[in-house]
Every structure is written in C-alpha cells, then in structure tokens.
C-alpha cells in the first residue's frame, strides 16, 4: 500500500483581532469553537460585506512561530476597501517518496458597497510565484498559482434580525519539475457560510464546503495518479449575552460532519473515512480594575466523536468512537482606548514550559495591536 498524505493548512483563516478571537472562542480548534459569536474585525475575512460595521483601522498581529501580518480598512457610508499583508497560506504535497511544502503570502483586496440596508462585499486573494533551485548536477523549478474569490452579502431589514451570507471559490495550481521528474497538482474548493442573528444575542451558523485535489506523478501512468475529495458540514447554535455593565458571556454548541475519499488510481486503492463530532464551548470577557482593561477566557469540551474508515482492496474497516473529553483552556488580557486596542492571549505552554528566554521554546503568547481612526 502506498503512503499518501495530503495536508491543506490555511494558517490564517482569520485576522485583525485574531488574538482576542482565539482567547474567547478557541477558533484554532476544529470543533467546539464559537468564532461566529463575535462581531469583531476578524469576521470580515469570512463575510467581507460586514466591513461597514467597523471603524477605519489598521492592525498588526504577531504570533508564535514568527507568524505575523497586517491589515487596514477605509470606508464611508457607501463604499469601503481594505487589504491584508503577509497572511500565510500553506499546502503540503506528499506522494510515495515525494514531499514538498509550499508557503506563500497572497495579496488580499477587499471591496464593499452599501445600499440602504443591504451591504455587498468581495475578497480577492491572489498569489503567483516560481522558484528555481540548482544543486550539483540537478535542477528543479517549483511554481504555484493561487486564486480565491469570496463574495458576500449582509441583510439588515428588520430591527432585530440580521443575515450574513458568503460564498467561496478557491483554485490552486502547483507544479514541481526536476531534472528527470515532474509532479503537478490542482486544488479546488467551494464553500458557503451563513450566519443568522436575532437581537444580537442568538446566533445560528451554517458552513458547507467541498474540495477536490488531483496529483500527477512521473511514476504513474494514470491521469490523475491520485485524487482526494472532501466535504464538511457544520451547524451550531450560540448565545452571546451581555452581563450588566461588566462584560459578556458566550456559550456555543457545534455539530460537525466530515467525509474524505482518497483514490490511488495506479494501484486501484480507495480509502474512505467519515467523522462526526459534537462540541460545546463557554467563554467571556469582563472588565478588570478599569473600563480599559479586560480579562478573557474560555473552555471547550467535546461531547462525542465518531470515526469510520474503509480501505479496499482488500476490504478493511476501522470504527472508533469517543464520548466526553476535554478540549482546551484559553485566557488573555486586553487594553482598549478610543484609538488603540492591544490584545494578548496566553497558552498553557507558557506555564508548563516557561517563556522563550527561559525554556528555549516558542513564546507562549500572541499579540495584536489595532489602531482605529
């Protein structure tokens, strides 16, 4: 059986106030997260049409593993635009003995238009690069072309009821040409995001995504040699409740269903798997000592997970389930004024291993700075 691994990692699936969002909603986790509950600048990434809900601003975020980026927005009552800089995206391709990791920084441009109580937005994300490598008597050329379009619309017809909708279309073409070998791959992704809000308190999200991946290798004779198809459905219910003048609390219930099918056409091997998970998260933000300082935290718990896998030929079935296990704990602190916001979140590693200058490990915190104008 050939070993085939595909990893598609969108390292920056959120921005602007990523630090605050990670603290309260644990958006970095796959299940039990509640990122749809916060109307923070980060959500412009998912729903570009919502940019009219926020002031003009620029932001800089620094995170673990030397990961940093910036963003900026300008708008009036009718038109708006923005850009994102250095948001890493990563694709990892592995097939037999071949392995290549591609990390790049696309250019993001966001445009918005508001007509009465309807807002439209679109995010264009583009990157095109090539890399030539020469070593001894061998040479290689790697090229990658990435394009993502995400149109969005927001409705605010009723006093207490709002709707945010967006659609995602993503295409990535990759090739790696060596002296005697040539690998090529194509990724396609289509998605739908919906958010239904009542009274700024009750929120229902819906996410649906499908993706396909095709790879051609020099050792094979099929077209494509390997293919992968994935689908994801996520629905949930959340409550974001203000607690007098002290802050707010959130609670989220999320159900996720995923399916994955890998096909190695050279050896006629098919690997199918499915996953179902149900999680809960609770968190909040509260004032501390003054109006400007806020403490934040959250805790998540996965109520159940069910995993099924089938490989053929020969027919092999794997089934597993797990009921009730701990997710994660997150906590942080923020300072805000009429002009600046500074957010810091801490990880458990900071306490287990110490900060970098003591342990030599990566820093145990993230930091974001936002300037509003």
């Amino acid at each position: 059986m050939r070993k085939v691994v595909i990893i598609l990692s969108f390292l920056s699936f959120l921005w602007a106030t990523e630090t605050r969002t990670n603290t309260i909603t644990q958006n970095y986790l796959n299940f039990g997260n509640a990122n749809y509950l916060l109307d923070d600048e980060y959500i412009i990434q998912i729903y570009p049409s919502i940019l009219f809900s926020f002031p003009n601003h620029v932001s800089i975020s620094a995170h673990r593993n030397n990961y940093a980026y910036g963003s900026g927005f300008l708008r009036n009552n009718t038109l708006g635009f923005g850009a994102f800089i250095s948001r890493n995206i990563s694709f990892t391709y592995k097939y037999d003995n071949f392995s290549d990791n591609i990390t790049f920084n696309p250019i993001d441009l966001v445009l918005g238009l508001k007509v009465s109580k309807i807002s439209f937005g679109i995010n264009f994300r583009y990157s095109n690069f090539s890399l030539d490598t020469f070593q001894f008597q061998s040479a290689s050329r790697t090229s990658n072309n990435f394009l993502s379009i995400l149109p969005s619309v927001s409705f605010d017809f009723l006093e207490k009821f709002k709707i945010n909708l967006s659609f995602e279309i993503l295409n990535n073409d990759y090739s790696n040409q060596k002296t005697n070998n040539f690998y090529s791959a194509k990724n396609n992704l289509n998605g739908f995001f919906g958010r239904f809000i009542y009274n700024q308190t009750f929120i229902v999200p819906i996410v649906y995504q499908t993706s396909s991946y095709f790879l051609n290798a020099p050792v094979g004779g099929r077209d494509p040699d390997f293919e992968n198809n994935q689908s994801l459905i996520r629905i949930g219910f959340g409550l974001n409740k203000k607690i007098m003048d002290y802050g707010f609390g959130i609670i989220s219930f999320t159900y996720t269903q995923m399916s994955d099918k890998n096909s190695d056409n050279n050896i006629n091997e098919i690997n199918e798997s499915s996953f179902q998970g149900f999680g809960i998260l609770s968190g909040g933000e509260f004032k501390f000592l003054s109006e400007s300082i806020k403490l934040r935290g959250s805790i998540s718990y996965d109520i159940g997970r069910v995993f099924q896998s089938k490989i053929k030929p020969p027919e092999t079935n794997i089934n597993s389930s797990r009921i009730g296990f701990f997710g994660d704990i997150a906590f942080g602190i923020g300072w805000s004024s009429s002009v600046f916001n500074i957010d810091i979140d801490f990880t458990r590693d900071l306490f287990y291993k110490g900060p970098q200058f003591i342990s030599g490990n990566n820093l145990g915190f993230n930091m974001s700075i936002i300037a509003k104008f």
Side-chain angles (χ1 to χ4, degrees):
M1 181 180 72
R2 287 187 172 141
K3 182 180 180 182
V4 181
V5 180
I6 299 180
I7 304 172
L8 306 182
S9 176
F10 291 85
L11 298 181
S12 192
F13 215 64
L14 45 102
W15 53 76
T17 50
E18 180 176 0
T19 303
R20 179 174 182 265
T21 304
N22 274 343
T23 304
I24 302 176
T25 72
Q26 300 183 18
N27 194 55
Y28 49 86
L29 292 179
N30 288 326
F31 308 106
N33 64 51
N35 57 332
Y36 57 87
L37 283 174
L38 296 184
D39 269 338
D40 236 331
E41 287 88 343
Y42 88 94
I43 208 167
I44 298 173
Q45 179 261 332
I46 305 174
Y47 305 103
S49 56
I50 206 173
L51 67 90
F52 294 98
S53 299
F54 306 102
N56 299 330
H57 68 275
V58 295
S59 71
I60 298 175
S61 296
H63 298 266
R64 295 178 292 275
N65 301 319
N66 297 318
Y67 166 49
Y69 58 87
S71 65
F73 283 96
L74 289 173
R75 69 161 184 87
N76 56 27
N77 293 330
T78 304
L79 300 174
F81 67 93
F84 303 94
I85 301 173
S86 295
R87 287 181 43 242
N88 292 347
I89 292 180
S90 177
F91 291 90
T92 298
Y93 301 100
K94 291 185 178 182
Y95 185 81
D96 282 349
N97 295 323
F98 172 77
S99 177
D100 196 9
N101 178 268
I102 300 296
T103 299
F104 52 95
N105 304 105
I107 297 174
D108 283 75
L109 296 177
V110 176
L111 303 176
L113 172 67
K114 186 173 184 180
V115 181
S116 184
K117 293 184 178 295
I118 304 178
S119 300
F120 303 91
I122 189 167
N123 179 17
F124 296 95
R125 186 185 309 172
Y126 178 74
S127 173
N128 188 315
F129 79 89
S130 61
L131 176 65
D132 294 308
T133 304
F134 301 93
Q135 185 175 11
F136 300 107
Q137 295 181 346
S138 65
S140 66
R141 180 180 181 86
T142 300
S143 63
N144 196 82
N145 186 288
F146 177 89
L147 175 65
S148 172
I149 301 175
L150 198 149
S152 173
V153 60
S154 296
F155 302 93
D156 191 11
F157 289 121
L158 303 177
E159 180 180 355
K160 294 185 177 182
F161 189 68
K162 297 181 180 180
I163 300 175
N164 305 131
L165 304 173
S166 64
F167 306 86
E168 182 179 20
I169 302 172
L170 183 153
N171 178 268
N172 188 78
D173 292 305
Y174 161 87
S175 66
N176 183 290
Q177 184 173 1
K178 297 184 178 181
T179 303
N180 299 316
N181 295 323
F182 179 77
Y183 291 85
S184 65
K186 177 184 285 290
N187 301 85
N188 297 299
L189 184 146
N190 299 304
F192 166 78
F193 302 89
R195 201 171 70 125
F196 305 88
I197 309 164
Y198 178 73
N199 200 29
Q200 295 294 328
T201 301
F202 303 97
I203 305 176
V204 176
I206 299 175
V207 177
Y208 176 71
Q209 290 180 311
T210 61
S211 65
S212 58
Y213 166 87
F214 306 95
L215 184 143
N216 284 307
V219 296
R222 301 297 181 89
D223 187 15
D225 295 302
F226 176 81
E227 58 184 299
N228 169 268
N229 293 280
Q230 298 178 356
S231 66
L232 176 142
I233 299 175
R234 179 174 295 166
I235 59 176
F237 171 78
L239 175 69
N240 184 329
K241 183 64 175 177
K242 182 179 179 181
I243 303 175
M244 295 185 288
D245 292 329
Y246 298 107
F248 66 90
I250 65 171
I251 187 168
S252 163
F253 302 91
T254 307
Y255 171 77
T256 302
Q257 179 177 303
M258 300 174 62
S259 64
D260 189 301
K261 180 180 180 181
N262 296 325
S263 301
D264 191 326
N265 297 324
N266 288 309
I267 59 176
N268 295 319
E269 181 182 275
I270 298 176
N271 186 333
E272 296 179 300
S273 63
S274 64
F275 176 90
Q276 299 179 62
F278 184 70
I280 182 173
L281 178 140
S282 179
E285 176 182 270
F286 301 93
K287 298 175 184 177
F288 180 71
L289 299 179
S290 70
E291 294 286 331
S292 301
I293 301 176
K294 298 177 177 65
L295 298 180
R296 307 173 180 126
S298 61
I299 183 171
S300 61
Y301 189 81
D302 287 336
I303 298 175
R305 292 187 175 188
V306 178
F307 175 80
Q308 296 177 322
S309 178
K310 180 170 62 176
I311 302 174
K312 59 182 181 181
E315 191 81 13
T316 304
N317 294 294
I318 302 173
N319 299 296
S320 66
S321 62
R322 188 174 179 182
I323 304 297
F325 57 98
F326 176 71
D328 201 1
I329 293 178
F331 43 92
I333 188 171
W335 175 84
S336 62
S337 69
S338 59
V339 179
F340 289 100
N341 286 1
I342 299 177
D343 298 314
I344 300 176
D345 78 339
F346 303 95
T347 70
R348 289 181 291 170
D349 284 346
L350 182 65
F351 297 94
Y352 295 156
K353 303 176 182 179
Q356 189 176 36
F357 63 87
I358 294 177
S359 65
N361 298 310
N362 291 322
L363 290 174
F365 63 88
N366 300 322
M367 182 175 181
S368 295
I369 300 175
I370 299 177
K372 299 170 286 186
F373 55 93

